[in-house]
Amino acid sequence: MPAPTSPADLFRHSLRLLLDKDIPAWVALWAEDGVMEFPFAPDGWPRRLEGKEAVAAYMRHYPDHIDLHDFPELRIHQTTDPRTIVVEMRGVGRLVESDAPFDMTYIAVVTVRDGHFTSYRDYWNPLAVQQPGADFTGSSR
């Protein structure tokens, strides 16, 4: 089944793939030249990933560290650019290593072209990654 092409539908589909822990299918939603940015990333964490391969490498071990259960309070806002949405959401689950609860609030600005993510600016709380088991990026902190 092909992925949806509208930004809102593609984003909802991507969340389902994350809940299913299907990282290869999630990465397949990215354009080859897609860029993922983390403006609030703490020192030692990546701030910008350029290209699908960099996004894949970053996300490869995500399910081994964070077990997502739900994305409650999902709100998707249309912008004046039909290719771009602003998303407000929470991701809840648990940290695999410690079994501690995971509860992160996000705001993302997402742009889609031809049914693929081309830009994803992820504004998340950098304090939350200071919990043991939250560091899935292999950062050098």
Side-chain angles (χ1 to χ4, degrees), residues 2-7 9-11 13-14 25-31 52 83 111-118:
T5 57
S6 83
D9 289 343
L10 184 70
F11 193 85
H13 178 66
S14 77
W26 186 86
V27 170
L29 301 178
W30 281 80
K52 186 180 201 171
R83 300 170 302 164
T111 301
V112 172
R113 181 186 70 232
D114 300 327
H116 292 92
F117 295 125
T118 58

Side-chain angles (χ1 to χ4, degrees), residues 42-132:
D43 289 342
W45 282 66
R47 292 190 187 275
R48 182 178 172 92
L49 305 170
E50 295 188 24
K52 186 180 201 171
E53 286 185 33
V55 171
Y58 176 81
M59 290 295 291
R60 184 168 291 120
H61 298 292
Y62 188 90
D64 298 332
H65 298 276
I66 299 173
D67 178 19
L68 290 170
H69 298 164
D70 195 10
F71 290 101
E73 303 170 29
L74 175 65
R75 293 182 9 203
I76 298 176
H77 307 277
Q78 301 297 322
T79 69
T80 56
D81 179 346
R83 300 170 302 164
T84 300
I85 56 174
V86 175
V87 179
E88 298 177 85
M89 66 180 182
R90 279 178 53 220
V92 297
R94 69 179 183 88
L95 297 174
V96 174
E97 180 181 306
S98 65
D99 205 35
F102 177 82
D103 191 337
M104 177 82 77
T105 301
Y106 302 86
I107 292 178
V109 179
V110 179
T111 301
V112 172
R113 181 186 70 232
D114 300 327
H116 292 92
F117 295 125
T118 58
S119 175
Y120 191 125
R121 284 190 316 276
D122 195 356
Y123 296 89
W124 51 272
N125 180 359
L127 298 176
V129 299
Q130 294 175 355
Q131 300 176 60

